[in-house]
Amino acid sequence: MHPISIITGRIVALPAHDIDTDQIIPARYLKVTDKSGLAEGLFYAWRFDADGHPNPDFVLNRPETHGATILVVGRNFGCGSSREHAPWALQGYGFKAVISPSFADIFRNNALKNGLLTVQTDEETWQQLVSLFEEDPTTEVTIDLAAQTVTLPDGRQARFPIDPFTKHCLLQGIDQMGFLLNEEDAISAYESEHPPRVVTTARS
């Protein structure tokens, strides 16, 4: 994982609510083991028609949205079945963060563990982001993980919640195993100070 500190990028808004993981990445892509190949399947049923041709009406197929790195989506994003392939596909496509009024818990956990920042905003900020994109699809925002803020083009800032442990891991660019490995000296010191107890059983 790469450390996350500040993400500045163009947004693209897909404001539909209750987008489930099967819509994010169809089940047939779950057999893929190469993460880099998952970008093709992202929102496949919406990006492509029955013949496999790009749907020009879908927002990600519009030329002005290419290169956007922050996805703004509706409430309860990532609901449905649990699959790590959903955040993998989003990252493979180039997204570094997803902004929503609310996320499905399993998706949020999977995303954060894989270094995809999920930003839960208040309804007013979300509505403003959607409106800004509709007015100007080149709109950029800045997400500051350390400060836990999203800064809009007019300078307005909105805070977002994140638990301290996850925040620490993302800022350091480590997963849970990486965190434990970084604490190896402390673990060894604890073990030396607390040797295992030998339990004996009394014989009758």
Side-chain angles (χ1 to χ4, degrees):
M1 284 173 40
H2 297 289
I4 297 174
S5 178
I6 295 176
I7 299 173
T8 297
R10 288 192 287 116
I11 63 173
V12 56
L14 182 59
H17 302 302
D18 303 313
I19 297 175
D20 64 37
T21 51
D22 193 54
Q23 292 167 317
I24 298 172
I25 184 76
R28 64 180 178 275
Y29 283 92
L30 301 189
K31 299 177 182 178
V32 176
T33 57
D34 183 1
K35 295 181 183 181
S36 63
L38 290 173
E40 172 194 332
L42 181 67
F43 300 123
Y44 190 92
W46 296 340
R47 285 172 57 205
F48 302 98
D49 62 23
D51 297 321
H53 300 129
N55 173 10
D57 296 326
F58 185 58
V59 65
L60 293 187
N61 290 336
R62 289 163 47 184
E64 63 269 25
T65 67
H66 294 173
T69 55
I70 300 172
L71 180 63
V72 180
V73 292
R75 291 185 292 275
N76 196 32
F77 184 73
C79 56
S81 63
S82 170
R83 56 185 72 172
E84 277 191 299
H85 293 66
W88 292 348
L90 289 160
Q91 289 175 303
Y93 193 83
F95 290 115
K96 298 179 180 179
V98 183
I99 300 176
S100 172
S102 63
F103 294 92
D105 288 340
I106 294 177
F107 170 83
R108 180 185 176 90
N109 290 334
N110 283 337
L112 292 170
K113 287 177 182 178
N114 283 280
L116 177 65
L117 184 58
T118 54
V119 177
Q120 184 171 335
T121 62
D122 59 273
E123 194 76 21
E124 181 183 353
T125 300
W126 179 78
Q127 290 284 1
Q128 188 173 355
L129 288 168
V130 173
S131 297
L132 284 169
F133 173 76
E134 291 173 349
E135 294 168 5
D136 180 7
T138 66
T139 296
E140 286 191 351
V141 301
T142 295
I143 303 170
D144 187 330
L145 176 58
Q148 296 178 219
T149 58
V150 180
T151 302
L152 279 60
D154 62 2
R156 175 176 175 260
Q157 290 187 331
R159 288 187 57 81
F160 62 91
I162 188 168
D163 72 87
F165 176 72
T166 298
K167 178 180 177 178
H168 171 80
C169 289
L170 291 173
L171 287 170
Q172 299 299 316
I174 56 175
D175 56 14
Q176 293 176 340
M177 181 58 70
F179 175 82
L180 290 175
L181 291 175
N182 285 345
E183 299 297 317
E184 186 174 0
D185 290 344
I187 294 171
S188 297
Y190 179 88
E191 290 178 339
S192 64
E193 295 173 4
H194 301 79
R197 292 188 302 169
V198 177
V199 178
T200 59
T201 58
R203 294 181 179 180
S204 57

